[in-house]
Amino acid sequence: MILAVLFANSVGNVLIERFNGVPAEERLHWRTFLVKLGADNLKGVKNEELLVACHKSVYIVYTMLGDVSIFLVGKDEYDELALAETIYIITAAVKDVCGKPPTERVFLDKYGRICLCLDEIVWNGLLENTDKDRIKRLIRLKPPSEV
Amino acid sequence: MAQPLVKKDDDHDDELEYSPFMGIEKGAVLQEARVFNDAQVDPRRCSQVITKLLYLLNQGESFTKVEATEVFFSVTKLFQSKDTGLRRMVYLIIKELSPSSDEVIIVTSSLMKDMNSKIDMYRANAIRVLCRIIDGTLLTQIERYLKQAIVDKNPVVSSAALVSGLHLLRTNPEIVKRWSNEVQEGIQSRSALVQFHALALLHQIRQNDRLAVSKLVGSLTRGSVRSPLAQCLLIRYTSQVIRDMANHGQSGERPFYEFLESCLRHKAEMVILEAARAITELDGVTSRELTPAITVLQLFLSSPRPVLRFAAVRTLNKVAMTHPMAVTNCNIDMESLISDQNRSIATLAITTLLKTGNESSVERLMKQITNFMSDIADEFKIVVVEAIRSLCVKFPLKYRSLMTFLSNVLREEGGFEYKRAIVDSIVTIIRDIPDAKESGLLHLCEFIEDCEFTYLSTQILHFLGIEGPNTSDPSKYIRYIYNRVHLENATVRAAAVSTLAKFGFMVESLKPRITILLKRCIYDSDDEVRDRATLFLSVLGGDGTVDTDKETKDFLFGSLEVPLVNLETSLKNYEPSEEAFDVDSVSKEVKSQPLAEKKAQGKKPTGLGAPPAAPASGFDGYEKLLSSIPEFAAFGKLFKSSPPVELTEPETEYAVNVVKHIYDSHVVLQYNCTNTVPEQLLERVNVIVDASEAEEFNEVTSKALNSLPYDKPGQAFVVFKKPAGVPAVGKFSNTLTFVVKEVDPSTGEADADDDGVEDEYQLEDLEVVAGDYMVKVGVSNFRNAWENMDEEDERVDEYGLGQRDSLGEAVNAVTDLLGMQICEGTETIPTNARSHTCLLSGVYIGNVKVLVRAQFGMDSSKDIAMKLTVRAEDVSVADAIHEIVACG
């Protein structure tokens, strides 16, 4: 299960957060933990360079894309490798929608589309789509090109 | 530090690029949402408003029930629009709003229409939305469409249905399990993702059917799996099958190992890592099996992708715990990871190296770690310190460099947990490696010079007091200890005074100087420090209060012989008087509950009672107490101690209860007596036992209680011999005899001239019953245990238990009689039940395991019948159980 997908800006404000199977009372803890993790480690990291950590029995993979940091938290079958795969798709889709690694402004301008992309990639904690071209079509309700 | 978690709109005003959501407010957005109701829908405008709603929801904003309902109803109107972009947004917002079950009906018809639409993407999205919001009843209605969707030629539709299946399996497993044929077809799909989702779903559906999973794995490992994700799943399921087969005793060559090994050559890195991990986790993996996996993991250690490095080093770290030698080949690659930017990787590398490193590499490793320690968080540092502690125990010759490392990190900044880990490590090393003692103690001394944690300072001072005096030059520690008296808080000062005294006592040459130092402490501002200084001065000064060195030594270094609870109670009860508090007057008995506490329970608000029931751990306490009495030492191992049986009514002058201690050929009766009359002192307290109704018992000895002052429980013992290993039963009548003396309640002292008056006090009778020879011992799986016992030795009989109020009463009567452990929660009887089966287990005297199945039935007139089936390791014991019930 992918427990959380979180986007934050460069100063740690949350832009998008989606939790799956995380009780409401634990969300604040996770939010704080992830933002701190980013603040401690993401300075000076290159675009899309993946960082990885374990916390108790869950895995965290996170990265920087333009002005936006992206965090994924998973457990069980979603270990660091599966999360890396997922975050790779997410960053590709975001870049595709924004045309480049986004500034915060661009990210917010394309907010609706990014939400749609996320909806296609992770659904209730399960990875659904992994191909950015297909996602690009799906968010416009176009069938995948191979059909 | 964590950044503030404020909403974006609270952000800096001077930001050049202003946010499109600047100043966004829930009320205003809800107002804007009214555009959804317009006769002419403006798709662009509506999409913008939906985006704003999404933004609010993603920021953790919540809508009230009324607000959510209103928005949801308006959104449903947008189904009229043919604009595809808007339709996509509508699907998303409905999922996000998650309407309540009574509202869902508004939208289901639109969604069901979309689910059968010619436009594939409508179908896929409608399925996802429906599955998110519907309940079981509606699911049955649309099940047919979902099954069709699974085999849809469009992979997006198929995937949507399969992933929906994964979610629905949690809420409606029965329905989803009916789809296995279609899902099976999905596994054959040419689309990689469909195959991945189908495999996950099929495995979930069949996970409890070992044979089916094994077949699934068998067929897929031979065929081709298209996506790396599905291949990873397959590897996981294969590992499970291998484990199951091993558990079920299949021998010979390990099945599927070849498949796992072939996956090590897969083109996708995630598959290779998954396979390597699966191999390393095989039960009883051999080094031949392990080698190829370790080789690929080693390659990943130098991968440019951090995730791969992390995954590899994490796996190797686990392998190092069980097969350290297998990992040593990777040591050079791991050493280069110590400087990895990603701290999680570096920490894993270091802790792995510390497990696998050899003696010659310790120094080099320490040097590298020192550079690394300054920039990792405390939690990582603790892991490293703990790894170093075990390394030092492993290579004692290397203690110098390890100790130097620990002392260096001890001087650096760090939180309490981290410092404690270091101090604990140094203490362990000092204890385990005698050569390390002197330098270790000096490091600790230096640390307390500048330690901000009171707890650690006192612990170290205590440790110094024990170890320091035995070193070659104890005087060098005195300065550090005495400095504490000047510089620290009262707790640390008091600890320092105690430590000084220990040095003074142990090192004769230091005694005069320590005495001078202690004299300076008697003017301390704190009571405890002054008291300790005064006390130790008198102990060290040899002014006659202490007779021998041994007593001083016991006092300074011995452990406290009385339980703290008892000491506390006695101190509380001690009234300041001319007579000093005597620690010998404190009861050493562990089990007795303090009187004050008993009063607090409010059971007997005015009276005083006998010591109450022993705590659950009482057996150990009894064993300790009995073994300390020389007369009982020859009786062998204590088999069982009963709970205390009250022999007096509540609120009587003398409260007495008895504990029956069962040995193989003896029974010791322990009478716990409490004198509740403040004006009396009882002496020569004894219990006279008449055993005429206990034929097999012969009294061998008794142990009287010399003195029983007010409110200080004491014990008298009477010992009987009985035939060895025989569960003898009988009835005993008891009389308490004693000499009573008058005391002055204000001083608690008896008149010295008073010879006292002999008196006696009739106690209730006591029975030793068959249940006293049974120890409650539970079994984890009753059925297994039952089947493992020989059916031949089973004894069955039926009994009428007469009229009872309820089944529960009958069950309690039987279980009390047998004294056995009730298993698997069968003590719980449903109300109004007319029949019940109770499972019991225990060990009978002679260490014979006994299991009982008691079936109770009640007829309309509340007459209860019981069928009792007994299995025991010894058939005579099974008969004995029936005898107990028949007689009971």
Side-chain angles (χ1 to χ4, degrees):
Chain A
M1 179 76 104
I2 299 172
L3 299 174
V5 181
L6 188 138
F7 289 71
N9 68 5
S10 51
V11 290
N13 298 318
V14 176
L15 300 175
I16 297 180
E17 62 173 26
R18 269 152 192 273
F19 288 101
N20 303 293
V22 178
E25 63 273 17
E26 284 176 26
R27 293 181 182 180
L28 178 65
H29 160 77
W30 273 109
R31 203 179 293 147
T32 319
F33 175 79
L34 293 176
V35 169
K36 181 179 182 317
L37 194 70
D40 288 347
N41 299 298
L42 280 174
K43 267 212 181 81
V45 167
K46 282 185 289 192
N47 254 340
E48 293 182 66
E49 180 174 336
L50 292 191
L51 282 89
V52 56
C54 301
H55 182 66
K56 296 176 184 162
S57 60
V58 303
Y59 305 97
I60 302 142
V61 174
Y62 55 113
T63 191
M64 202 70 199
L65 185 69
D67 288 352
V68 180
S69 44
I70 307 170
F71 302 85
L72 288 189
V73 183
K75 67 168 184 184
D76 301 333
E77 69 270 36
Y78 286 92
D79 60 8
E80 68 273 32
L81 295 168
L83 291 180
E85 193 73 14
T86 316
I87 208 166
Y88 173 71
I89 304 152
I90 293 176
T91 50
V94 172
K95 272 194 300 181
D96 212 41
V97 168
C98 302
K100 58 179 179 184
T103 60
E104 190 182 338
R105 170 64 201 261
V106 173
F107 185 90
L108 291 173
D109 274 347
K110 305 285 184 187
Y111 197 84
R113 287 193 153 211
I114 292 170
C115 287
L116 289 178
C117 288
L118 262 189
D119 187 46
E120 294 290 354
I121 299 168
V122 181
W123 183 33
N124 271 12
L126 299 179
L127 179 62
E128 190 165 353
N129 278 303
T130 56
D131 178 49
K132 78 177 166 76
D133 293 322
R134 181 193 274 199
I135 292 162
K136 197 174 168 182
R137 293 177 69 81
L138 292 181
I139 62 168
R140 289 179 293 143
L141 283 183
K142 296 265 189 302
S145 47
E146 71 261 27
V147 178
Chain B
M1 282 304 293
Q3 298 297 327
L5 295 165
V6 289
K7 286 184 187 171
K8 181 62 200 80
D9 49 33
D10 298 336
D11 212 345
H12 316 291
D13 288 333
D14 56 355
E15 202 175 83
L16 286 171
E17 299 184 337
Y18 90 101
S19 155
F21 301 112
M22 179 99 97
I24 189 169
E25 220 181 298
K26 185 173 82 172
V29 178
L30 291 174
Q31 283 281 341
E32 281 186 72
R34 295 193 177 161
V35 294
F36 301 158
N37 298 321
D38 288 354
Q40 282 292 320
V41 171
D42 175 356
R44 197 179 143 75
R45 175 107 184 82
C46 289
S47 290
Q48 279 170 353
V49 177
I50 292 179
T51 308
K52 285 184 185 173
L53 288 168
L54 286 171
Y55 180 80
L56 286 174
L57 287 167
N58 280 334
Q59 293 281 312
E61 185 76 75
S62 58
F63 293 164
T64 63
K65 176 99 173 63
V66 178
E67 288 166 349
T69 307
E70 198 173 317
V71 173
F72 171 67
F73 281 2
S74 318
V75 164
T76 56
K77 303 222 168 81
L78 299 178
F79 272 102
Q80 293 164 20
S81 167
K82 296 280 178 237
D83 185 276
T84 49
L86 179 60
R87 179 65 63 91
R88 183 65 188 82
M89 289 300 256
V90 169
Y91 290 134
L92 178 56
I93 191 72
I94 292 177
K95 281 194 279 186
E96 293 294 313
L97 287 170
S98 10
S100 59
S101 52
D102 52 332
E103 297 163 355
V104 167
I105 192 75
I106 302 290
V107 81
T108 42
S109 59
S110 304
L111 288 171
M112 276 161 77
K113 197 173 131 206
D114 280 1
M115 203 163 76
N116 292 302
S117 159
K118 284 202 179 84
I119 304 170
D120 291 351
M121 292 303 100
Y122 280 18
R123 291 211 299 280
N125 280 290
I127 288 170
R128 299 201 300 174
V129 179
L130 269 173
C131 291
R132 171 81 179 256
I133 61 177
I134 56 172
D135 57 13
T137 340
L138 204 55
L139 180 60
T140 331
Q141 288 178 37
I142 62 164
E143 187 188 354
R144 184 161 57 94
Y145 305 116
L146 287 172
K147 280 169 138 183
Q148 271 172 22
I150 291 174
V151 291
D152 197 293
K153 65 178 187 308
N154 186 327
V156 178
V157 179
S158 183
S159 272
L162 288 164
V163 180
S164 300
L166 280 165
H167 289 304
L168 291 168
L169 195 61
R170 275 178 250 151
T171 48
N172 297 286
E174 292 316 310
I175 298 177
V176 180
K177 279 180 183 167
R178 297 199 288 251
W179 307 348
S180 24
N181 286 343
E182 287 77 10
V183 180
Q184 181 82 50
E185 209 170 305
I187 288 189
Q188 310 304 326
S189 165
R190 292 164 62 86
S191 159
L193 269 180
V194 172
Q195 194 182 38
F196 167 58
H197 293 136
L199 178 57
L201 181 55
L202 194 64
H203 179 260
Q204 290 245 345
I205 290 175
R206 295 185 174 166
Q207 61 183 340
N208 296 325
D209 182 351
R210 246 196 341 255
L211 191 67
V213 174
S214 173
K215 266 189 183 165
L216 176 70
V217 166
S219 67
L220 285 176
T221 48
R222 283 192 298 276
S224 69
V225 175
R226 283 170 226 284
S227 90
L229 286 166
Q231 188 80 3
C232 284
L233 285 186
L234 182 59
I235 291 170
R236 277 184 201 158
Y237 303 155
T238 308
S239 309
Q240 181 60 47
V241 171
I242 295 175
R243 258 196 304 276
D244 287 345
M245 284 175 151
N247 290 345
H248 289 80
Q250 298 209 0
S251 55
E253 194 152 310
R254 202 190 289 277
F256 297 116
Y257 174 78
E258 269 179 33
F259 165 71
L260 292 181
E261 209 252 354
S262 71
C263 289
L264 293 176
R265 295 183 290 278
H266 198 278
K267 61 180 186 299
E269 286 150 337
M270 69 188 301
V271 175
I272 302 174
L273 273 166
E274 193 65 52
R277 197 173 284 170
I279 291 174
T280 60
E281 285 170 4
L282 290 174
D283 289 336
V285 63
T286 63
S287 37
R288 200 168 63 87
E289 288 171 323
L290 211 49
T291 310
I294 301 287
T295 312
V296 298
L297 290 171
Q298 187 177 4
L299 290 175
F300 281 120
L301 290 178
S302 45
S303 159
R305 293 182 60 195
V307 171
L308 299 179
R309 296 200 298 276
F310 178 86
V313 76
R314 183 164 77 86
T315 312
L316 288 170
N317 188 291
K318 269 194 192 161
V319 180
M321 289 183 199
T322 49
H323 299 82
M325 291 314 287
V327 185
T328 44
N329 283 344
C330 311
N331 280 4
I332 295 179
D333 300 86
M334 268 189 288
E335 276 181 36
S336 59
L337 291 184
I338 296 179
S339 52
D340 199 297
Q341 278 225 312
N342 195 319
R343 285 328 188 184
S344 303
I345 297 177
T347 313
L348 280 169
I350 283 181
T351 46
T352 316
L353 280 169
L354 291 174
K355 283 173 204 147
T356 62
N358 52 33
E359 201 151 358
S360 60
S361 62
V362 168
E363 262 108 14
R364 191 159 39 93
L365 208 54
M366 284 300 118
K367 211 173 158 194
Q368 282 173 303
I369 297 176
T370 313
N371 301 331
F372 156 87
M373 286 296 269
S374 55
D375 50 23
I376 56 169
D378 273 10
E379 59 194 273
F380 291 139
K381 289 179 182 169
I382 293 171
V383 178
V384 174
V385 166
E386 279 165 1
I388 286 177
R389 182 195 312 173
S390 25
L391 187 69
C392 197
V393 176
K394 194 166 143 199
F395 301 128
L397 288 177
K398 292 291 167 192
Y399 79 84
R400 267 201 192 83
S401 51
L402 294 168
M403 188 65 99
T404 313
F405 173 84
L406 289 174
S407 66
N408 285 338
V409 290
L410 194 54
R411 278 191 218 111
E412 285 163 14
E413 288 290 302
F416 172 71
E417 291 297 336
Y418 174 45
K419 296 282 173 169
R420 186 163 75 165
I422 303 172
V423 170
D424 285 350
S425 300
I426 294 181
V427 168
T428 312
I429 294 172
I430 292 173
R431 283 205 180 124
D432 287 1
I433 306 167
D435 289 347
K437 190 199 269 184
E438 306 237 339
S439 61
L441 288 179
L442 268 183
H443 291 313
L444 293 177
C445 281
E446 275 169 27
F447 173 61
I448 54 171
E449 287 280 47
D450 191 21
C451 171
E452 56 185 310
F453 306 109
T454 300
Y455 175 84
L456 290 181
S457 293
T458 51
Q459 295 286 307
I460 291 173
L461 284 168
H462 176 73
F463 186 66
L464 271 174
I466 295 167
E467 298 290 339
N470 304 320
T471 52
S472 59
D473 181 12
S475 65
K476 65 182 171 191
Y477 305 109
I478 301 298
R479 177 170 62 90
Y480 298 101
I481 301 167
Y482 187 62
N483 276 348
R484 308 278 67 71
V485 177
H486 289 295
L487 302 170
E488 304 281 358
N489 61 40
T491 313
V492 179
R493 293 205 301 276
V497 166
S498 299
T499 307
L500 281 176
K502 285 177 185 167
F503 274 80
F505 174 75
M506 294 293 283
V507 188
E508 195 58 39
S509 60
L510 288 177
K511 202 183 213 174
R513 282 184 276 166
I514 297 270
T515 311
I516 294 170
L517 294 179
L518 285 178
K519 276 183 183 158
R520 292 186 191 163
C521 302
I522 53 177
Y523 303 108
D524 194 281
S525 59
D526 183 78
D527 290 354
E528 174 69 18
V529 180
R530 281 200 309 275
D531 285 357
R532 284 197 191 189
T534 312
L535 171 70
F536 291 130
L537 275 173
S538 82
V539 170
L540 286 177
D543 57 0
T545 45
V546 176
D547 297 337
T548 60
D549 270 7
K550 189 183 171 305
E551 273 186 43
T552 317
K553 193 172 178 181
D554 284 348
F555 177 65
L556 280 170
F557 296 96
S559 60
L560 197 58
E561 282 177 354
V562 290
L564 276 178
V565 185
N566 298 7
L567 181 61
E568 188 188 358
T569 316
S570 301
L571 282 169
K572 275 184 186 159
N573 290 340
Y574 171 71
E575 304 257 334
S577 64
E578 286 300 302
E579 196 191 349
F581 177 78
D582 181 9
V583 76
D584 291 333
S585 68
V586 180
S587 166
K588 289 178 183 167
E589 200 194 351
V590 254
K591 69 185 173 53
S592 70
Q593 192 184 2
L595 210 54
E597 208 176 304
K598 187 158 180 171
K599 274 183 190 164
Q601 288 175 351
K603 268 184 170 171
K604 297 172 188 168
T606 51
L608 300 162
S617 60
F619 186 77
D620 289 342
Y622 288 137
E623 216 174 7
K624 215 166 156 188
L625 176 75
L626 293 170
S627 62
S628 69
I629 301 171
E631 291 95 315
F632 304 160
F635 295 169
K637 188 160 168 45
L638 179 62
F639 177 72
K640 182 188 180 176
S641 297
S642 74
V645 181
E646 297 293 338
L647 297 182
T648 50
E649 293 292 319
E651 299 183 28
T652 47
E653 307 95 299
Y654 315 116
V656 180
N657 66 28
V658 63
V659 178
K660 298 173 267 184
H661 300 293
I662 310 290
Y663 289 86
D664 190 46
S665 51
H666 292 87
V667 173
V668 175
L669 301 178
Q670 174 190 331
Y671 294 90
N672 298 312
C673 313
T674 309
N675 169 12
T676 67
V677 188
E679 298 81 14
Q680 288 185 355
L681 167 70
L682 306 189
E683 289 186 341
R684 284 180 276 151
V685 182
N686 206 354
V687 181
I688 305 296
V689 183
D690 174 6
S692 55
E693 290 181 66
E695 287 164 8
E696 291 180 282
F697 293 85
N698 292 312
E699 184 171 332
V700 280
T701 181
S702 68
K703 201 168 177 300
L705 186 59
N706 288 336
S707 162
L708 187 65
Y710 162 67
D711 189 22
K712 291 196 176 119
Q715 298 96 29
F717 297 89
V718 181
V719 183
F720 288 89
K721 196 168 170 50
K722 66 167 190 66
V726 172
V729 294
K731 194 170 179 182
F732 302 83
S733 52
N734 309 291
T735 313
L736 191 71
T737 64
F738 46 84
V739 173
V740 60
K741 286 184 177 177
E742 294 288 322
V743 294
D744 178 354
S746 61
T747 61
E749 290 206 20
D751 186 351
D753 302 330
D754 184 3
D755 291 336
V757 184
E758 280 192 25
D759 200 355
E760 59 176 51
Y761 189 83
Q762 190 62 44
L763 303 173
E764 309 242 345
D765 290 349
L766 162 75
E767 277 189 283
V768 172
V769 294
D772 290 327
Y773 298 98
M774 179 76 79
V775 183
K776 289 184 177 181
V777 178
V779 287
S780 55
N781 184 331
F782 189 89
R783 195 196 164 112
N784 271 358
W786 182 262
E787 281 166 5
N788 284 338
M789 287 228 189
D790 200 347
E791 208 180 326
E792 298 284 303
D793 298 339
E794 185 176 287
R795 290 288 183 271
V796 191
D797 210 342
E798 289 180 15
Y799 302 88
L801 303 182
Q803 273 192 342
R804 305 261 178 173
D805 281 346
S806 68
L807 267 185
E809 198 189 310
V811 170
N812 286 343
V814 173
T815 49
D816 285 350
L817 182 66
L818 293 176
M820 296 175 79
Q821 179 68 41
I822 308 180
C823 302
E824 306 196 351
T826 50
E827 67 271 35
T828 324
I829 306 160
T831 35
N832 303 328
R834 319 277 319 163
S835 65
H836 183 70
T837 302
C838 202
L839 307 174
L840 307 170
S841 89
V843 170
Y844 203 57
I845 192 159
N847 272 334
V848 183
K849 250 192 235 165
V850 190
L851 297 175
V852 170
R853 218 182 255 259
Q855 290 160 292
F856 298 84
M858 182 160 70
D859 68 10
S860 52
S861 58
K862 297 207 164 180
D863 260 331
I864 293 183
M866 175 178 74
K867 181 181 175 190
L868 196 74
T869 317
V870 184
R871 287 188 185 181
E873 287 174 336
D874 180 345
V875 69
S876 66
V877 172
D879 289 330
I881 302 294
H882 277 290
E883 224 175 282
I884 296 171
V885 177
C887 301

